[in-house]
Amino acid sequence: MHLAYPAVLSVLLFCTGLYGVLARRNAILVLMSVELMLNAVNLNLVAFDVWLSKAAEETLHSGQALTLFTIAIAAAEIGIGLAIVLAVHRNRGTSDIDKLRDTAEGPDDDGPDDQGPDDEGADGPDTDAPATGTAAEKAEATA
């Protein structure tokens, strides 16, 4: 068997996974696309290991051993990733990546802790300083 057949299949699988990562908005589908990319790499590792073992007298099968490590790491990654997605879905009610982009920012509070370096503290706000940090500006910055 030629090396070109599994290499072309691996490239097609990897490109499909890359498209899924870039185009999908559901976190579970993104994780599935990452797994597809890892499987393409595994296929490439095994194909090159078989191809190189025909040329060498001693076969170490290092590509197949590395593939086993990659499968173990992928299983751990998918387990942790699904646990995170389920926890986020329980808290937020969605697994849409666009809606989860602002997870670190909470609702805007205009409390006394929001005084910046331009504020004058107890004397009142500095009137000649422009107003910054509005909700609309934050929404535009994250978009």
Side-chain angles (χ1 to χ4, degrees), residues 25-32 77-97 100:
R25 296 295 168 225
N26 190 351
I28 295 176
L29 292 177
V30 170
L31 286 174
M32 289 174 59
E77 175 257 335
I78 199 69
I80 292 171
L82 282 176
I84 291 171
V85 168
L86 286 175
V88 167
H89 189 271
R90 285 182 185 165
N91 289 336
R92 300 274 180 164
T94 184
S95 62
D96 190 9
I97 295 175
L100 300 176

Side-chain angles (χ1 to χ4, degrees), residues 110-116:
D110 292 332
D113 294 332
D114 290 335
Q115 293 179 352

